[in-house]
């Protein structure tokens, strides 16, 4: 998906492969399975995904993103991956604590990766992350890569690796936060429900499919009057952010692929309208009410033509 943080596609390019972007579902903001199937079939048929893409690319894997905390449509995506012999890696950087069809995020595909960056649902006080897999051989390889490609010990290096160890202080912080993590995820549900109930009809509020749960890494809404609403919130002392203002296919890092504007219309339209409101498990009702009232007031002025 081009509608995410660059890390998702960055790793593909760093490995010398070519990222192939696929548009998003307009409701969930996650990768669109129908568009994914078409992209894979086009590649199988020898069609280049963009004017600057190398010819005769061979599809190898799929990296769905659980955007804003909502897991992607894994039943559909896994079927496509299995049908075409592709690995699947769940980008669960924002979704630890979320659920899809009763199964927790970080449990889909051949492996999953999450982030412990402070802004994430389970955040430390600095950088960090984790990778999950049920494959013991893959687990051993990742353990080796994590410590400079170690073999039997750190002075027996069997591959080129990295220093990917989690800092001990961050681990201690995360272990303590795990004790209250499920309570915090439930608190996020209450904050999101309050927003959605009060803002429906004023802005485009998030939609959570049946038997799914978002971890609510972000609470993002859409509006054609985004700039005016963000300015009104700023005047009221309420911070906002745009996740994400420019889709990856239009960024300089991937200019060599020469995707033209309009290649992924849903991603581009969403990027032009979306913005995020304050979201954390300890957001007081009085604060959320003030945010809601500010948006109501700004929307009311627009209707009145002020």
């Amino acid at each position: 998906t081009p509608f995410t943080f660059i890390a998702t596609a960055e790793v593909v390019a760093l490995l010398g492969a070519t990222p192939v972007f696929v548009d998003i579902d307009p409701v969930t903001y996650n990768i669109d399975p129908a568009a994914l199937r078409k992209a894979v079939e086009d590649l199988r048929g020898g069609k280049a995904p963009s004017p600057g893409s190398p010819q005769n690319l061979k599809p190898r894997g799929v990296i769905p993103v659980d955007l804003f905390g909502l897991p992607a449509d894994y039943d559909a995506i896994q079927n496509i991956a299995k049908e075409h012999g592709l690995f699947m890696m769940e980008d669960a950087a924002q979704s630890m604590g979320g659920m899809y069809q009763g199964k927790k995020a970080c449990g889909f595909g051949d492996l999953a990766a999450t982030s412990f960056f402070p802004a994430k649902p389970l955040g430390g006080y600095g950088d960090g992350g984790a990778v999950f897999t049920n494959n013991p051989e893959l687990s051993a390889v990742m353990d080796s890569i994590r410590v400079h490609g170690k073999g039997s010990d750190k002075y027996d290096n069997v591959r080129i690796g990295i220093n990917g160890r989690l800092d001990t202080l961050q681990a201690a912080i995360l272990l303590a936060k795990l004790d209250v993590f499920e309570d915090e995820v439930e608190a996020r549900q209450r904050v999101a429900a309050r927003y959605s109930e009060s803002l429906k009809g004023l802005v485009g509020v998030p939609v959570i499919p049946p038997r799914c749960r978002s971890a609510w890494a972000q609470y993002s809404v859409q509006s054609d009057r985004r700039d005016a609403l963000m300015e009104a919130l700023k005047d009221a002392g309420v911070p906002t952010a745009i996740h994400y203002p420019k889709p990856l296919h239009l960024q300089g890092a991937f200019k060599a692929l020469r995707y033209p504007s309009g290649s992924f219309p849903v991603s581009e339209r969403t990027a032009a309208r979306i913005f995020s409101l304050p979201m954390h498990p300890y957001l007081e009702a009085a604060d959320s009410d003030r945010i809601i009232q500010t948006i109501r007031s700004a929307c009311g002025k627009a209707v009145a033509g002020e």
Side-chain angles (χ1 to χ4, degrees), residues 63 153 200:
I63 308 179
D153 60 62
K200 191 177 297 183

Side-chain angles (χ1 to χ4, degrees), residues 42-257:
D42 284 349
L43 287 169
R44 293 287 193 205
K47 182 178 179 180
S50 72
S53 297
Q55 296 296 312
N56 300 314
L57 289 175
K58 180 178 289 187
R60 293 293 191 182
V62 184
I63 308 179
V65 178
D66 299 342
L67 202 71
F68 303 149
L70 176 66
D73 186 353
Y74 284 109
D75 284 347
I77 296 168
Q78 287 185 138
N79 285 340
I80 296 168
K82 288 179 181 178
E83 180 181 339
H84 291 277
L86 309 177
F87 76 80
M88 191 183 83
M89 175 178 172
E90 178 190 2
D91 182 341
Q94 301 179 8
S95 65
M96 190 169 181
M99 300 182 76
Y100 172 81
Q101 302 297 315
K103 183 177 179 179
K104 289 187 176 181
C106 301
F108 297 95
D110 299 283
L111 69 165
T114 196
S115 169
F116 300 137
F117 185 73
K120 299 299 191 289
L122 180 61
Y125 288 174
D127 282 310
V131 183
F132 303 81
T133 183
N134 288 327
N135 183 325
E137 294 180 0
L138 187 56
S139 177
V141 170
M142 290 188 295
D143 186 55
S144 169
I145 291 171
R146 183 177 66 97
V147 188
H148 300 289
K150 71 172 184 176
S152 58
D153 60 62
K154 67 179 181 179
Y155 297 116
D156 170 35
N157 305 103
V158 297
R159 58 174 53 84
I160 299 299
I162 61 172
N163 180 4
R165 293 168 293 190
L166 182 67
D167 182 84
T168 304
L169 178 60
Q170 299 303 329
I173 291 165
L174 291 165
L175 284 171
K177 293 187 73 173
L178 270 173
D179 291 339
V180 297
F181 181 59
E182 188 60 32
D183 292 337
E184 289 191 338
V185 172
E186 288 301 323
R188 287 175 180 268
Q189 306 307 309
R190 293 191 289 271
V191 173
R194 192 180 191 91
Y195 272 147
S196 294
E197 182 179 350
S198 301
L199 294 176
K200 191 177 297 183
L202 299 174
V203 293
V205 299
V207 176
I208 308 301
R211 297 195 65 217
C212 294
R213 179 176 77 173
S214 176
W216 296 112
Q218 305 292 343
Y219 186 92
S220 300
V221 298
Q222 287 197 57
S223 175
D224 291 327
R225 301 185 63 252
R226 178 177 71 184
D227 292 348
L229 292 178
M230 291 180 68
E231 188 64 29
L233 288 162
K234 180 181 177 181
D235 290 343
V238 177
T240 57
I242 299 175
H243 302 94
Y244 296 91
K246 183 186 288 189
L248 298 183
H249 67 287
L250 299 178
Q251 296 196 24
F254 298 112
K255 65 181 179 181
L257 298 178

Side-chain angles (χ1 to χ4, degrees), residues 1-52:
T1 159
F3 189 59
T4 184
F5 187 61
I6 193 169
T8 310
E10 181 180 51
V11 66
V12 177
L14 285 171
L15 289 170
T18 300
V20 175
F21 297 114
V22 174
D23 213 351
I24 59 172
D25 180 276
V27 175
T28 66
Y29 309 140
N30 288 327
I31 196 167
D32 182 340
L36 171 62
R37 178 176 292 280
K38 183 179 185 306
V40 174
E41 291 174 350
D42 284 349
L43 287 169
R44 293 287 193 205
K47 182 178 179 180
S50 72

